[in-house]
Amino acid sequence: MLNKLAASELVLNEDGSVYHLNLLPEDIAEKIILVGDPDRVAKVSKYFDKVEVKKNKREFYTHTGTLRGERITVMSTGIGTENIDIVMNELDALVNIDLKNKEFKAEHSALQLFRMGTCGSVNPDVQVDNMLVTQNVVGLDGLMHFYQDYEFENEFSKNFLEQFPYPKIKPMLYFADWAEELGELYKDAKYHGNTATFPGFYAPQGRQLRLKAVDDKFLETLNNLGVTNFEMETSAIYALSKLLGHKAITVNNVIANRRRGEFSADHHTSEKNLIEWVLERIIK
Ligand code: R1P
Ligand code: URA
């Protein structure tokens, strides 16, 4: 009885689906592509042989079907790590919790998660319209402060934490421990970078329209500490995957070079290239 979850903790819809994603266990594949933009879901699933499931609620759009005979899901997460908190916990509930009895399953199931996103580079030499796989990620968003976290340290994290000069922000670092198993998806990426994940697009990423950011030199400072690119989801995807026992990797298309002030000349074509590049490498 003790591990039976209360109705307030594991919230379900009337049809028994998980509350925000609006999905039943049979609606998802083991291989899941996560994209930020809800419009990107149909742009991905149009390559599937067939789409069997189409469901949505709020910003969470899901299509499941087959590609070259293999079952696959593509789902939008919307923007930000607070949405990733929902996506990761509800995806995990779909495979590791008996939703009818609200009890943990005895056998653990691991999902394979591929974030297919966009990012801005802060290394002047990292060029737009290329694929960047996240090797290490610096979480500057704060989500993981609310979980009992896992200890992680490598050369990059040690150097980064020793030199990080903003005392009010507490970074949490993670890394891609799945990379070696990924073959071409990992090897063929033009860049293997250190990604910083932020809780915003403007001042948190050093953008100043009418408001000033804390530091004019934010981009240079992070780049000098080894950060290659900025986005808004990967820290939570890597950390929660590790804690929940799933495998995750992020491939971002670089659409902006912040140091050179450049934006992709044709980000629609760039997005199409990203989709085709990833699909070709995750299903043979
Ligand atoms: C900001 O424009 C959004 O774009 C990036 C950021 O992480 C953030 O979600 O990723 P997506 O293109 O996957 O949404
Ligand atoms: N996504 C981000 O979060 N930042 C960028 O600069 C580009 C895409």
Side-chain angles (χ1 to χ4, degrees):
M1 270 320 259
L2 265 183
N3 70 8
K4 200 165 177 102
L5 294 158
S8 58
E9 308 308 296
L10 174 64
V11 185
L12 301 178
N13 299 310
E14 290 77 8
D15 65 354
S17 58
V18 287
Y19 185 54
H20 299 92
L21 301 186
N22 199 29
L23 296 172
L24 294 163
E26 59 267 31
D27 293 335
I28 57 164
E30 188 186 316
K31 224 170 231 187
I32 301 177
I33 297 169
L34 301 173
V35 300
D37 182 358
D39 286 346
R40 201 175 297 147
V41 171
K43 292 178 190 169
V44 173
S45 71
K46 78 168 194 207
Y47 290 92
F48 292 2
D49 314 325
K50 60 176 187 238
V51 179
E52 295 148 8
V53 178
K54 280 190 182 183
K55 291 193 175 178
N56 68 283
K57 189 171 174 185
R58 297 180 186 240
E59 56 268 66
F60 308 111
Y61 280 72
T62 302
H63 290 180
T64 295
T66 50
L67 176 60
R68 296 188 266 281
E70 192 177 325
R71 200 148 188 268
I72 185 159
T73 292
V74 55
M75 170 185 294
S76 59
T77 65
I79 290 180
T81 54
E82 64 278 35
N83 279 3
I84 297 299
D85 181 55
I86 288 171
V87 168
M88 289 300 304
N89 277 286
E90 294 191 9
L91 280 180
D92 182 71
L94 287 172
V95 293
N96 287 315
I97 298 177
D98 176 339
L99 299 183
K100 290 200 177 76
N101 296 322
K102 299 203 168 186
E103 284 171 2
F104 304 132
K105 290 185 181 171
E107 292 282 306
H108 177 266
S109 296
L111 297 167
Q112 296 182 14
L113 305 168
F114 303 85
R115 167 164 153 74
M116 183 199 270
T118 60
C119 69
S121 77
V122 289
N123 178 332
D125 301 328
V126 169
Q127 293 156 0
V128 295
D129 302 328
N130 286 292
M131 308 313 154
L132 188 155
V133 167
T134 299
Q135 184 75 55
N136 296 289
V137 59
V138 181
L140 298 167
D141 52 292
L143 173 71
M144 295 312 294
H145 297 309
F146 294 89
Y147 285 91
Q148 289 188 16
D149 206 22
Y150 67 96
E151 297 291 323
F152 158 69
E153 186 180 279
N154 66 7
E155 214 46 44
F156 175 76
S157 73
K158 241 171 46 200
N159 290 339
F160 186 92
L161 290 171
E162 269 165 26
Q163 296 173 57
F164 188 68
Y166 305 102
K168 281 199 230 163
I169 308 170
K170 188 176 179 305
M172 311 274 278
L173 286 91
Y174 310 95
F175 82 116
D177 57 359
W178 189 33
E180 281 80 45
E181 290 174 49
L182 284 165
E184 286 175 9
L185 184 87
Y186 184 74
K187 286 205 295 272
D188 293 355
K190 172 136 180 166
Y191 303 111
H192 301 92
N194 303 314
T195 299
T197 296
F198 292 95
F201 186 78
Y202 289 96
Q205 297 189 26
R207 286 190 172 87
Q208 315 194 67
L209 302 186
R210 292 208 311 121
L211 298 177
K212 287 271 160 232
V214 281
D215 183 355
D216 283 339
K217 294 258 171 266
F218 198 53
L219 305 183
E220 291 88 331
T221 304
L222 285 185
N223 187 212
N224 290 339
L225 296 181
V227 170
T228 44
N229 64 308
F230 288 5
E231 49 87 273
M232 298 175 66
E233 290 82 18
T234 296
S235 61
I237 293 174
Y238 278 23
L240 290 173
S241 293
K242 179 77 178 177
L243 290 176
L244 291 165
H246 303 297
K247 295 178 167 186
I249 196 84
T250 288
V251 186
N252 278 318
N253 192 2
V254 180
I255 56 165
N257 184 312
R258 303 287 311 289
R259 299 291 293 287
R260 294 182 188 271
E262 291 167 4
F263 195 78
S264 170
D266 178 359
H267 66 97
H268 298 295
T269 302
S270 198
E271 183 186 45
K272 183 170 179 281
N273 291 340
L274 168 73
I275 294 167
E276 291 178 356
W277 192 93
V278 171
L279 289 180
E280 224 168 84
R281 286 165 180 80
I282 64 175
I283 293 191
K284 286 287 154 205

